[in-house]
């Protein structure tokens, strides 16, 4: 087997790529701006040129086994980026096909949270685990579910949208998906910022460091900083956020009984501020037979490498597309 | 491969067993009373004698590939009936080991809802499906989850307890599991009977056929009969029950994106009374990318055969236990 894979993480702002070996070492990496080209072909030209430069500089031409790509709304089964995603190109977009043709290398794609789960299973906190749930706490809440060693894709490739479990059935917050009460509306970074605005408005007489910041500019980082200084409202917000997430995780448990949850993303770095109420609520709401069984772990991948590592791990399972009889095998340009 | 399997369904009242061929035909079946023997060994003696009589009468000695057993709280991984179950014997009970030693045939066990899912996938409404969720609406609410053609057992064998998803976070009904607000407390046959009592007490002036029955004796069948006669309170109870189940199913969808839900058990026979509000609530609460994708099907297995067929299908995957070097191979007694 060829010794390297190329991992590509297409984010809303940056596209990061890296050459990775079988032990998960990122040999070299680079990035381009995702939004520079509104024409997808121009974007792919730049990505190809930059990645090939990296590959050539590391003497890896003809040594790349596969390319793994993590991208929002990317579907493992169809290889496309589906509709409803905040990227500058028309959708559905046949990502795997275009990249595979351009590089002459097999490509596998999946959404960013599934890529993170694969990375964690291959190189991170979930090494050796067959059943775990990855929860990414970023601008939104994403998830990658692993059962019996395999990522759950469902019948259509869209499984694992746990950020859209309904946690407030009545009078829930409006979610970006158009419904109300989703987990994501409470436990994402933006959800924490919304909680800050709510808590400050509901208790106008309670002093808080957060009142020094214009209310519409408060971020989850501001809430964290205030909580670390002992601010009561900020600590209450983490209590509220962790409790909702812990309750939801107890419900996830009855579905697939994972041996661990792995948390990733900015909010996961809040440490015990988030984890303490989360664990309390999870165990308090846990069905008897599951009590004390599921670990709550933090990602062990360096944030700078995590997206690329996760995507790259998928590159090992990329397969060349079925080539019609008589067609020539694609070659590196 | 030997041409038959023996399916055994251990219910709270009766233990039903049947000899089944590879096409899912129940060649012959029998039953014994589950509660007759408080001594488990005496129970197994009677079960063995009755089943061997059946096997001999059908010229099937040495032709049984495996035994599949469905039983409440039976764990696929450990082969035991775990604690907390309403059966007359001490737990945990090493069911697979004892039956395998008694019959000299490999045994696989699982809980009753998982057995139903396997039966439906092998012989029923889910034939050819790789991703579906079986929901059993009986005295309780059970579930068997199939992902990519495999039953989900989780890290400990207890996955798929969807009857214990929390559907009412505040002021929920007390569930048999000791928590409050579980799906089972609303959408089981006993849940429907509880709804009847609640609805009748909340609207004391509303006439209803159900008022002809002592309030503590109303069953879900009574509610069905009244609804079929146009009784408003009875119809409202089905609207309420179907809505809660449909909302919960929309949440199950974001987990594993099944292509279908298969409903089984007494309540599932209520037809459109239950299914209409269920489908409405499911689609109304569905995340956009899943709308219109999941079918809601009714079990296609005859109730009399279903439990035995489901258990028997597991018999095909039963493997002989690892035999220590030098030990003799078990033989039929």
């Amino acid at each position: 087997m060829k010794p390297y894979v190329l991992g590509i993480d297409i984010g809303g702002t940056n596209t990061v790529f890296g050459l990775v070996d079988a032990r998960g070492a990122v040999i070299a990496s680079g990035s381009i701006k995702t939004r520079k080209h509104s024409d997808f072909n121009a974007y792919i030209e730049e990505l190809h040129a930059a990645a090939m430069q990296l590959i050539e500089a590391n003497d890896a031409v003809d040594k790349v086994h596969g390319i793994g790509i993590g991208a929002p709304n990317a579907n493992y089964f169809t290889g496309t980026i589906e509709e409803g995603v905040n990227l500058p190109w028309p959708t559905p977009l046949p990502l795997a096909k275009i990249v595979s043709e351009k590089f002459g290398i097999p490509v596998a794609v999946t959404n960013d949270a599934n890529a993170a789960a694969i990375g964690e299973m291959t190189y991170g906190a979930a090494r050796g685990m067959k059943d775990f749930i990855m929860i990414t706490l970023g601008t939104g809440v994403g998830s990658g579910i692993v059962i019996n060693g395999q990522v759950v894709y469902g019948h259509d490739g869209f499984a694992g949208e746990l950020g859209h479990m309904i946690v407030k059935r009545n009078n829930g917050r409006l979610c970006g998906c158009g419904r109300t009460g989703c987990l994501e509306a409470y436990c994402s970074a933006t959800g924490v910022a919304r909680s800050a605005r709510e808590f400050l408005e509901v208790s106008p007489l309670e002093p808080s460091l957060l009142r020094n910041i214009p209310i519409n500019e408060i971020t989850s980082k501001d809430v964290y900083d205030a909580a670390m200084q002992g601010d009561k409202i900020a600590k209450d917000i983490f209590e509220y956020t962790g409790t909702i997430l812990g309750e939801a995780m107890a419900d996830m448990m009855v579905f697939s009984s994972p041996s661990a949850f792995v948390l990733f993303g900015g909010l996961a770095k809040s440490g015990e501020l988030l984890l303490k109420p989360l664990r309390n609520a999870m165990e308090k709401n846990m069905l008897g037979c599951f009590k004390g069984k599921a670990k709550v772990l933090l990602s062990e991948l360096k944030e700078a490498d995590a997206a690329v590592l996760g995507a790259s791990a998928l590159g090992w399972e990329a397969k060349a597309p079925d080539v019609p009889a008589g067609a020539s095998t694609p070659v590196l340009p």
Side-chain angles (χ1 to χ4, degrees), chain A residues 73-91:
Chain A
N73 272 29
N75 189 307
Y76 179 77
F77 289 149
T78 61
T80 60
I81 294 181
E82 307 280 350
E83 291 166 71
V85 68
N86 184 23
L87 290 173
W89 315 299
T91 52

Side-chain angles (χ1 to χ4, degrees), chain A residues 6-9 15-19 26 28-32 47 50-51 54 308:
Chain A
L6 184 69
I8 302 175
D9 177 66
T15 295
V16 186
F17 52 91
L19 191 65
V26 180
S29 61
S31 73
I32 66 171
L47 176 62
L54 194 85
V308 162

